[in-house]
Coordinates of all heavy atoms in Angstrom, one line a residue:
W22 N 81.9 -15.5 -4.1 CA 83.2 -15.8 -3.5 C 83.9 -17.0 -4.3 O 85.1 -16.8 -4.8 CB 83.1 -16.2 -2.1 CG 84.4 -16.8 -1.5 CD1 84.6 -18.1 -1.0 CD2 85.6 -16.1 -1.3 NE1 85.9 -18.2 -0.6 CE2 86.6 -17.0 -0.7 CE3 86.1 -14.8 -1.5 CZ2 87.9 -16.7 -0.4 CZ3 87.4 -14.5 -1.2 CH2 88.3 -15.4 -0.7
E23 N 83.2 -18.0 -4.5 CA 83.8 -19.2 -5.1 C 84.1 -19.1 -6.6 O 85.0 -19.8 -7.1 CB 83.0 -20.5 -4.8 CG 83.0 -20.8 -3.3 CD 82.2 -22.0 -3.0 OE1 81.6 -22.6 -3.9 OE2 82.1 -22.3 -1.8
R24 N 83.4 -18.2 -7.3 CA 83.6 -18.1 -8.8 C 84.3 -16.8 -9.2 O 84.8 -16.7 -10.3 CB 82.3 -18.2 -9.5 CG 81.7 -19.6 -9.4 CD 80.7 -19.8 -10.5 NE 80.0 -21.1 -10.3 CZ 78.9 -21.5 -10.9 NH1 78.4 -20.7 -11.7 NH2 78.4 -22.7 -10.7
H25 N 84.2 -15.8 -8.3 CA 84.8 -14.5 -8.6 C 85.7 -13.9 -7.6 O 86.3 -12.8 -7.9 CB 83.6 -13.6 -9.0 CG 82.7 -14.1 -10.0 ND1 83.1 -14.1 -11.4 CD2 81.5 -14.7 -10.0 CE1 82.1 -14.6 -12.1 NE2 81.1 -15.0 -11.2
G26 N 85.8 -14.5 -6.4 CA 86.7 -14.0 -5.4 C 86.2 -12.7 -4.7 O 87.0 -12.0 -4.1
F27 N 84.9 -12.5 -4.7 CA 84.4 -11.3 -4.0 C 84.0 -11.8 -2.6 O 83.1 -12.6 -2.4 CB 83.1 -10.8 -4.7 CG 83.5 -10.1 -6.0 CD1 83.1 -10.6 -7.2 CD2 84.1 -8.8 -5.9 CE1 83.4 -9.9 -8.4 CE2 84.4 -8.1 -7.1 CZ 84.1 -8.7 -8.3
R28 N 84.8 -11.2 -1.6 CA 84.5 -11.5 -0.2 C 83.2 -10.8 0.2 O 82.9 -9.8 -0.3 CB 85.6 -11.0 0.7 CG 86.9 -11.8 0.6 CD 87.9 -11.3 1.5 NE 89.2 -11.9 1.3 CZ 89.6 -13.0 2.1 NH1 88.9 -13.4 3.1 NH2 90.8 -13.5 1.8
S29 N 82.4 -11.5 1.0 CA 81.1 -11.0 1.4 C 81.3 -10.0 2.5 O 82.2 -10.0 3.4 CB 80.3 -12.2 2.0 OG 79.1 -11.7 2.6
G30 N 80.4 -9.0 2.5 CA 80.4 -8.0 3.6 C 79.3 -8.3 4.6 O 79.0 -7.5 5.4
L31 N 78.6 -9.5 4.4 CA 77.5 -9.8 5.3 C 78.0 -10.5 6.5 O 78.8 -11.5 6.5 CB 76.5 -10.7 4.6 CG 75.8 -10.1 3.3 CD1 74.9 -11.1 2.7 CD2 75.1 -8.9 3.7
L32 N 77.5 -10.1 7.7 CA 77.8 -10.7 8.9 C 77.4 -12.1 9.0 O 76.3 -12.5 8.5 CB 77.1 -9.9 10.1 CG 77.4 -10.3 11.5 CD1 78.9 -10.0 11.8 CD2 76.5 -9.6 12.5
G33 N 78.3 -13.0 9.4 CA 78.1 -14.4 9.5 C 78.4 -15.2 8.2 O 78.3 -16.4 8.2
T34 N 78.7 -14.5 7.1 CA 79.0 -15.2 5.9 C 80.5 -15.5 5.8 O 81.3 -14.6 6.0 CB 78.6 -14.4 4.6 OG1 77.2 -14.1 4.7 CG2 78.9 -15.1 3.3
Q35 N 80.8 -16.8 5.7 CA 82.2 -17.2 5.7 C 82.8 -17.2 4.2 O 82.1 -17.7 3.3 CB 82.4 -18.6 6.3 CG 82.0 -18.6 7.8 CD 82.8 -17.7 8.6 OE1 84.0 -17.6 8.5 NE2 82.2 -16.9 9.5
N36 N 84.0 -16.8 4.1 CA 84.7 -16.9 2.8 C 85.9 -17.7 3.0 O 87.0 -17.2 3.4 CB 85.1 -15.5 2.3 CG 83.9 -14.6 2.1 OD1 83.8 -13.5 2.7 ND2 82.9 -15.0 1.3
D37 N 85.8 -19.0 2.8 CA 86.9 -19.9 3.1 C 87.8 -20.0 1.9 O 87.5 -20.6 0.8 CB 86.3 -21.3 3.4 CG 87.4 -22.3 3.8 OD1 88.6 -22.0 3.9 OD2 87.0 -23.5 4.0
P38 N 89.1 -19.5 2.0 CA 90.0 -19.6 0.9 C 90.4 -21.0 0.5 O 90.8 -21.2 -0.6 CB 91.3 -18.8 1.5 CG 90.8 -18.0 2.6 CD 89.6 -18.8 3.1
K39 N 90.2 -22.0 1.4 CA 90.5 -23.3 1.1 C 89.7 -23.9 -0.1 O 90.1 -24.8 -0.7 CB 90.4 -24.2 2.3 CG 91.4 -23.9 3.4 CD 91.3 -24.8 4.6 CE 91.8 -24.1 5.8 NZ 90.8 -23.7 6.8
V40 N 88.5 -23.3 -0.3 CA 87.7 -23.8 -1.4 C 88.2 -23.4 -2.8 O 87.8 -23.9 -3.8 CB 86.2 -23.5 -1.2 CG1 85.6 -24.0 0.1 CG2 86.0 -22.0 -1.4
L41 N 89.0 -22.4 -2.8 CA 89.6 -21.8 -4.0 C 91.0 -22.5 -4.2 O 91.6 -22.9 -3.3 CB 89.8 -20.3 -3.9 CG 88.5 -19.5 -3.6 CD1 88.8 -18.1 -3.4 CD2 87.5 -19.7 -4.7
Q42 N 91.4 -22.5 -5.5 CA 92.7 -23.1 -5.7 C 93.8 -22.0 -5.9 O 94.5 -21.9 -6.8 CB 92.7 -23.9 -7.0 CG 91.7 -25.0 -6.9 CD 92.2 -26.3 -7.5 OE1 93.2 -26.3 -8.2 NE2 91.5 -27.3 -7.4
V43 N 93.7 -21.1 -4.9 CA 94.6 -19.9 -4.9 C 95.5 -20.0 -3.6 O 95.0 -20.0 -2.5 CB 93.8 -18.6 -4.9 CG1 94.8 -17.4 -4.9 CG2 92.9 -18.6 -6.1
V44 N 96.8 -20.1 -3.8 CA 97.7 -20.2 -2.7 C 98.0 -18.8 -2.2 O 98.2 -17.8 -2.9 CB 99.0 -20.8 -3.2 CG1 100.1 -20.8 -2.1 CG2 98.8 -22.2 -3.7
G45 N 98.0 -18.6 -0.9 CA 98.4 -17.3 -0.3 C 97.3 -16.4 0.2 O 97.6 -15.3 0.6
L46 N 96.0 -16.8 0.0 CA 94.9 -15.9 0.4 C 94.7 -16.0 1.9 O 94.6 -17.2 2.4 CB 93.6 -16.2 -0.3 CG 93.6 -16.1 -1.8 CD1 92.2 -16.4 -2.3 CD2 93.9 -14.7 -2.2
P47 N 94.7 -14.9 2.6 CA 94.4 -15.0 4.0 C 92.9 -15.4 4.3 O 92.0 -15.1 3.5 CB 94.7 -13.6 4.6 CG 94.4 -12.7 3.4 CD 94.8 -13.5 2.2
E48 N 92.7 -16.1 5.4 CA 91.4 -16.5 5.8 C 90.5 -15.2 6.0 O 89.3 -15.2 5.6 CB 91.4 -17.3 7.1 CG 90.1 -18.0 7.3 CD 90.2 -19.1 8.4 OE1 91.2 -19.8 8.4 OE2 89.3 -19.1 9.3
T49 N 91.0 -14.2 6.6 CA 90.3 -13.0 6.9 C 91.2 -11.8 6.5 O 92.4 -11.9 6.5 CB 89.8 -12.9 8.4 OG1 91.0 -12.9 9.2 CG2 88.9 -14.0 8.8
I50 N 90.5 -10.7 6.3 CA 91.2 -9.4 6.1 C 90.9 -8.6 7.3 O 89.8 -8.2 7.6 CB 90.7 -8.7 4.8 CG1 90.7 -9.6 3.6 CG2 91.4 -7.4 4.6 CD1 92.1 -9.9 3.1
D51 N 91.9 -8.3 8.1 CA 91.7 -7.8 9.5 C 92.0 -6.3 9.6 O 91.6 -5.7 10.6 CB 92.5 -8.6 10.5 CG 92.1 -10.0 10.5 OD1 90.9 -10.3 10.5 OD2 93.0 -10.9 10.6
A52 N 92.9 -5.7 8.7 CA 93.3 -4.3 8.9 C 92.8 -3.6 7.6 O 93.5 -3.7 6.6 CB 94.8 -4.2 9.1
V53 N 91.7 -2.8 7.7 CA 91.1 -2.2 6.6 C 90.9 -0.7 6.8 O 90.5 -0.3 7.9 CB 89.7 -2.9 6.3 CG1 89.1 -2.3 5.1 CG2 89.9 -4.4 6.1
I54 N 91.1 0.0 5.7 CA 90.7 1.5 5.7 C 89.8 1.7 4.6 O 89.7 0.9 3.6 CB 91.9 2.4 5.6 CG1 92.7 2.1 4.3 CG2 92.8 2.3 6.8 CD1 93.8 3.2 4.0
H55 N 89.0 2.8 4.6 CA 88.1 3.1 3.5 C 88.8 3.6 2.3 O 89.9 4.2 2.5 CB 87.0 4.1 4.0 CG 86.2 3.5 5.1 ND1 85.2 2.6 4.9 CD2 86.1 3.8 6.4 CE1 84.6 2.3 6.0 NE2 85.1 3.0 7.0
M56 N 88.2 3.5 1.2 CA 88.7 4.1 0.0 C 88.8 5.7 0.2 O 88.0 6.2 1.0 CB 87.8 3.9 -1.2 CG 87.8 2.4 -1.7 SD 89.3 1.9 -2.5 CE 89.1 2.7 -4.1
P57 N 89.8 6.3 -0.4 CA 89.9 7.8 -0.2 C 88.6 8.5 -0.8 O 88.0 7.9 -1.7 CB 91.1 8.2 -1.0 CG 91.9 6.9 -1.1 CD 90.9 5.8 -1.1
H58 N 88.3 9.7 -0.3 CA 87.2 10.5 -0.8 C 87.4 10.7 -2.3 O 88.5 10.7 -2.8 CB 87.1 11.8 -0.1 CG 86.7 11.6 1.4 ND1 85.4 11.4 1.7 CD2 87.5 11.7 2.5 CE1 85.4 11.2 3.1 NE2 86.6 11.4 3.5
T59 N 86.3 11.0 -3.0 CA 86.4 11.3 -4.4 C 87.4 12.3 -4.8 O 88.1 12.1 -5.8 CB 85.0 11.6 -4.9 OG1 84.0 10.6 -4.6 CG2 84.9 11.9 -6.4
A60 N 87.4 13.4 -4.1 CA 88.3 14.5 -4.4 C 89.8 14.0 -4.4 O 90.6 14.4 -5.2 CB 88.1 15.7 -3.5
V61 N 90.1 13.2 -3.4 CA 91.5 12.6 -3.3 C 91.8 11.7 -4.4 O 92.9 11.8 -5.0 CB 91.6 11.9 -1.9 CG1 93.0 11.2 -1.8 CG2 91.4 12.9 -0.7
M62 N 90.9 10.8 -4.8 CA 91.1 9.9 -5.9 C 91.3 10.7 -7.2 O 92.1 10.4 -8.0 CB 89.9 8.9 -6.0 CG 89.8 8.0 -4.9 SD 91.2 6.9 -4.7 CE 91.1 5.9 -6.1
E63 N 90.5 11.8 -7.4 CA 90.6 12.6 -8.6 C 92.0 13.2 -8.7 O 92.6 13.3 -9.7 CB 89.5 13.6 -8.7 CG 88.1 13.0 -9.0 CD 87.0 14.0 -8.9 OE1 87.2 15.1 -8.3 OE2 85.9 13.7 -9.3
R64 N 92.5 13.7 -7.5 CA 93.8 14.4 -7.5 C 94.9 13.3 -7.8 O 95.8 13.6 -8.5 CB 94.0 15.0 -6.1 CG 95.3 15.8 -6.0 CD 95.4 16.9 -7.0 NE 96.7 17.5 -6.9 CZ 97.5 17.8 -7.9 NH1 97.0 17.6 -9.1 NH2 98.6 18.3 -7.8
I65 N 94.8 12.1 -7.2 CA 95.7 11.1 -7.5 C 95.8 10.8 -9.0 O 96.9 10.7 -9.6 CB 95.4 9.8 -6.7 CG1 95.7 10.0 -5.2 CG2 96.2 8.6 -7.2 CD1 95.1 8.9 -4.3
L66 N 94.6 10.7 -9.6 CA 94.6 10.4 -11.1 C 95.2 11.6 -11.8 O 95.9 11.3 -12.8 CB 93.1 10.2 -11.5 CG 92.5 8.9 -11.0 CD1 91.0 8.8 -11.4 CD2 93.2 7.7 -11.6

């Protein structure tokens, strides 16, 4: 998180944006959908 900006997917692990020098990052990401299926991604490409 602190060196590469990868949010953790582990329960109980906090990703505090305040430790980064990046303005505008939300504390949490609350509305998420899964990546499209492979066939959909291939069609988009």
